Amino acid sequence: MSTARTGTALAVGSMLCVQIGLAASVDVFDKVGPQGAAFLRLAWAGVILLLVVRPRLRDFDRRTLLACTVLGVVTASMTILFMEAVARIPLGTASACEFLGPLGVAAARSRGRRMLAWPALAAVGVVLLTEPWRGQVDVEGVLLALGAAGCWAAYILLTQHVGDEVTGIGGLAVSLPVAGLVGTAVAGPATLPQLNGQVLLIGLGLAVLLPVVPFCLEMLALRRLTTAAFGTLMSLEPAIALVVGLVVLGQVPGAWPVLGIAFVVAAGIGAERTGSRSRGATGEAPARARAEQAGRPRSARAVLPREPSTSGRR
């Protein structure tokens, strides 16, 4: 499987986990509210990664550690804002508004007119999915989703930087605990009195589904795709949200949103075919440079896996 196809599969798998996790959060919304649900997921995710990965801070230089910390703050902000938006507007509409963040990244980073065609096509699909001409959208919900969009744009750039500088998922093992601390500070005081064993277990399951699995998949995807290609592939998120909303939440889409799905899928295919990152852009080169500067040979654990060839399997 080619590098671009592998990255695409990882990105799509991440989006499926995100939307299913959001749909499954409805019961938690009823029990602890949207901020409480965000707090539970972020806190559990931080604990899980700390226990599984056990990051060593001495392996991080100051600049990378700062980037991981900022990524954690951005992750918490994105999660809380989006959960608040979903509590007010339909899942598909919220996802379409939030997608403006990665769409902006794709447009800003695209190289050449050919790559600019995919964000433009995706933008048309987002408009069709949102149906702004109906005039029935909750303004507060839209503003919250747009705030999440800005955080998502920053998240994409920071995740690619951290993924290129830190081997494995060590960066996430630092950023998600930071996100958990931010979520605790924002929503913990109001949520803790409402917790019981059942809610804690539900929160643990949701944390695995979102954000642990999708964030890990996104980190790996960003090592195989350009930022522009990844941002355009995220155009599939509103379409996936629309389908999940139909199947899980019974939100039936109209004709225009269905047409929008066709547009965003076409944009995703175009980005997948033209968006593979070069080998030099992956995290192996920075990892090698750090090892050589420290005067130590690279061990098997310290080296990122090489990009798969087009003729072989991982």
Side-chain angles (χ1 to χ4, degrees):
M1 183 178 289
S2 69
T3 300
R5 292 182 185 278
T6 301
T8 298
L10 291 167
V12 172
S14 168
M15 289 183 283
L16 281 171
C17 287
V18 166
Q19 296 305 323
I20 293 173
L22 286 170
S25 299
V26 173
D27 288 340
V28 181
F29 280 10
D30 294 338
K31 292 178 174 62
V32 296
Q35 286 192 17
F39 154 65
L40 281 173
R41 290 211 309 241
L42 291 171
W44 273 121
V47 171
I48 291 170
L49 282 183
L50 278 178
L51 293 176
V52 173
V53 181
R54 298 181 182 179
R56 297 178 298 181
L57 296 183
R58 64 176 178 271
D59 293 339
F60 296 76
D61 59 40
R62 182 176 300 178
R63 181 180 176 183
T64 302
L65 188 59
L66 177 61
C68 291
T69 302
V70 175
L71 177 59
V73 175
V74 169
T75 299
S77 302
M78 176 178 64
T79 303
I80 292 171
L81 287 171
F82 189 73
M83 296 289 268
E84 287 284 1
V86 170
R88 293 168 172 80
I89 58 179
L91 182 59
T93 302
S95 294
C97 293
E98 190 192 30
F99 170 68
L100 294 177
L103 179 63
V105 172
R109 287 294 190 88
S110 292
R111 295 170 295 181
R113 295 180 180 178
R114 183 181 180 185
M115 279 299 294
L116 285 173
W118 307 126
L121 185 62
V124 175
V126 169
V127 171
L128 293 174
L129 283 163
T130 309
E131 296 185 283
W133 53 85
R134 297 183 58 139
Q136 299 177 352
V137 178
D138 184 295
V139 175
E140 185 179 3
V142 170
L143 291 176
L144 288 165
L146 291 177
C151 292
W152 195 1
Y155 165 79
I156 290 173
L157 298 175
L158 287 166
T159 299
Q160 188 167 55
H161 172 74
V162 171
D164 283 348
E165 293 295 328
V166 182
T167 59
I169 58 173
L172 282 177
V174 174
S175 66
L176 279 181
V178 171
L181 291 174
V182 173
T184 301
V186 172
T191 305
L192 290 175
Q194 306 176 54
L195 297 182
N196 55 46
Q198 180 185 18
V199 173
L200 286 172
L201 287 176
I202 293 174
L204 174 59
L206 290 176
V208 173
L209 189 59
L210 172 67
V212 173
V213 172
F215 281 16
C216 290
L217 291 177
E218 286 181 8
M219 179 76 79
L220 296 174
L222 278 163
R223 294 182 181 184
R224 292 162 171 81
L225 299 169
T226 62
T227 309
F230 181 83
T232 307
L233 275 170
M234 291 296 103
S235 64
L236 294 171
E237 188 101 27
I240 292 174
L242 203 69
V243 174
V244 171
L246 170 64
V247 175
V248 179
L249 303 177
Q251 299 172 346
V252 181
W256 289 114
V258 171
L259 181 60
I261 291 177
F263 276 80
V264 294
V265 168
I269 293 173
E272 182 269 336
R273 292 177 64 86
T274 57
S276 175
R277 297 184 76 194
S278 63
R279 185 181 299 271
T282 64
E284 185 176 356
R288 182 190 297 112
R290 289 195 302 273
E292 290 173 351
Q293 289 171 1
R296 301 190 303 272
R298 293 179 299 154
S299 67
R301 288 187 177 184
V303 182
L304 290 173
R306 293 183 180 274
E307 296 292 337
S309 67
T310 56
S311 60
R313 296 179 181 270
R314 289 183 65 83

